[in-house]
Amino acid sequence: MIYLIDRYGAAMTLEQLIVLNAIVEQGTFRAAADHLNKAQSAVSYMVKKLEGEVGFELLSREAYRPTLTERGEVFYRHATRVLQRMQQLKSISATLRTEQEAEVALTVTATYPLPPILSLVSEMTARFQATHIKMSRDNMGGSLEKLLAGDAQIAISTLDEVPLDRIEALPLRSVMMIPVSHPNFVAAREERMKSDAEMQTHIQVVVSDSARSATQSRGILPGGLRWTVSDFATKKEILLANMGWGGLPEHMIQAELNEGTLVPLSIEGYPPTQVSHYAMRMRNVTHGTVAQAIWDSLRVEKVENR
């Protein structure tokens, strides 16, 4: 028997709330009794006892069909919330009895579009309410580092420096990286191809690698001036402020390209590049229920984006 104690010390049971809810939903004491497979006298007694414990009438019995009193309406609204929470608790208890993990960590490289991942996380959260899904955004080697260290069960990144003898990889969508700048940036004023030597005099904005052991090397024009920032959002703002140039994922700047607030650059040593992304997980590891479900959903995305 589950007892709910209010601040005045009155004890009511969950069963009493269930009975009250059945009366309101079914419309009569008899219908509620049939619905709950109880005697009508038992239903009437439980409501009367509940009213005695709360100190006021919950139902008006003047007409054929009982109706909630004014205070009963307020009480019932709160009671239904309790019943909903109890149902959620039962659902969580059921899933906890399975082999569902307490937490699954997912790391996604910053160049990969977020909408499909957010949709996936939302779906998994609804399916596996007892599992905390932890998602992080990392740059370049950061995702691989977390996967190898066991800090993430699934990583979405490129295959750069990935030890495929230890890691299983599932191809996902590709992302176009485009060198861009503000239309008034010096290097954007002429449409001709710029040489590496010319671009070395202009500030290139680059995003730092979030891996602890990494040295910045990807996407850098050798010998040029550069600023290093921690994320692509900051890099984009700097480029929009006409303070440098750099490569950005096409999906992140599509609106700016359409509006002309950012323009593509033609650079000899820095062409637009198609970057392939992969879902990755460790081989020879037993994967939990939720991690496997995420992997299976990513496999479906792979098929849909062929």
Side-chain angles (χ1 to χ4, degrees):
M1 182 82 65
I2 298 176
Y3 288 92
L4 308 170
I5 311 296
D6 70 13
R7 59 177 177 163
Y8 300 109
M12 62 192 78
T13 67
L14 180 61
E15 189 176 15
Q16 288 170 341
L17 299 184
I18 292 173
V19 166
L20 175 64
N21 184 62
I23 294 169
V24 174
E25 288 191 343
Q26 301 300 318
T28 66
F29 283 82
R30 179 178 293 279
D34 291 342
H35 178 73
L36 296 173
N37 197 27
K38 290 180 180 294
Q40 184 174 340
S41 58
V43 168
S44 298
Y45 172 77
M46 292 181 74
V47 172
K48 197 68 179 175
K49 193 168 189 302
L50 177 60
E51 290 176 326
E53 287 165 353
V54 298
F56 52 84
E57 283 193 349
L58 296 168
L59 294 169
S60 171
R61 299 162 177 81
E62 295 177 358
Y64 169 71
R65 290 182 175 271
T67 57
L68 289 165
T69 63
E70 185 175 341
R71 283 184 288 187
E73 288 273 5
V74 177
F75 180 88
Y76 179 68
R77 283 201 302 270
H78 290 276
T80 54
R81 293 174 193 167
V82 172
L83 293 173
Q84 288 168 3
R85 294 300 297 271
M86 287 300 299
Q87 186 57 47
Q88 291 170 358
L89 188 57
K90 288 180 180 178
S91 176
I92 291 172
S93 298
T95 55
L96 282 172
R97 289 194 294 269
T98 68
E99 296 180 359
Q100 183 176 335
E101 308 95 305
E103 179 179 284
V104 172
L106 174 67
T107 170
V108 183
T109 189
T111 53
Y112 197 78
L114 264 184
I117 303 303
L118 296 179
S119 177
L120 171 61
V121 171
S122 177
E123 176 194 344
M124 292 297 119
T125 300
R127 283 179 59 187
F128 304 103
Q129 296 181 24
T131 297
H132 172 58
I133 299 178
K134 179 181 176 182
M135 188 185 76
S136 63
R137 289 284 256 179
D138 290 280
N139 302 328
M140 290 170 272
S143 292
L144 176 60
E145 182 179 75
K146 284 185 176 179
L147 185 64
L148 291 172
D151 295 329
Q153 284 71 57
I154 296 176
I156 295 176
S157 189
T158 66
L159 286 184
D160 293 326
E161 302 179 9
V162 171
L164 291 175
D165 59 324
R166 300 172 57 195
I167 288 178
E168 179 183 2
L170 179 69
L172 298 177
R173 65 182 70 193
S174 296
V175 171
M176 182 67 75
M177 295 292 292
I178 304 175
V180 294
S181 74
H182 189 280
N184 294 332
F185 191 66
V186 175
R189 294 175 185 171
E190 298 178 7
E191 294 184 1
R192 63 178 178 82
M193 174 86 68
K194 278 73 173 183
S195 68
D196 291 356
E198 286 180 272
M199 294 305 297
Q200 286 173 353
T201 62
H202 304 298
I203 294 173
Q204 180 186 8
V205 184
V206 299
V207 175
S208 61
D209 196 325
S210 60
R212 292 185 293 270
S213 59
T215 56
Q216 184 72 20
S217 60
R218 299 179 203 171
I220 293 178
L221 202 63
L225 300 172
R226 64 177 180 267
W227 287 356
T228 301
V229 296
S230 62
D231 58 83
F232 280 99
T234 302
K235 179 176 181 176
K236 179 179 173 180
E237 290 300 318
I238 292 173
L239 269 54
L240 285 168
N242 195 16
M243 299 175 70
W245 72 277
L248 286 171
E250 184 177 23
H251 63 85
M252 191 179 292
I253 55 171
Q254 192 60 65
E256 288 76 15
L257 290 173
N258 293 340
E259 296 165 358
T261 51
L262 287 176
V263 295
L265 295 176
S266 181
I267 304 170
E268 182 181 15
Y270 202 107
T273 304
Q274 195 83 18
V275 179
S276 298
H277 291 79
Y278 296 78
M280 296 178 285
R281 65 180 182 179
M282 299 297 294
R283 296 184 187 273
N284 304 320
V285 170
T286 300
H287 301 285
T289 302
V290 182
Q292 184 62 48
I294 292 173
W295 186 262
D296 292 340
S297 292
L298 289 169
R299 193 187 300 278
V300 171
E301 183 188 347
K302 165 199 170 184
V303 172
E304 291 177 346
N305 285 281
R306 278 180 175 174

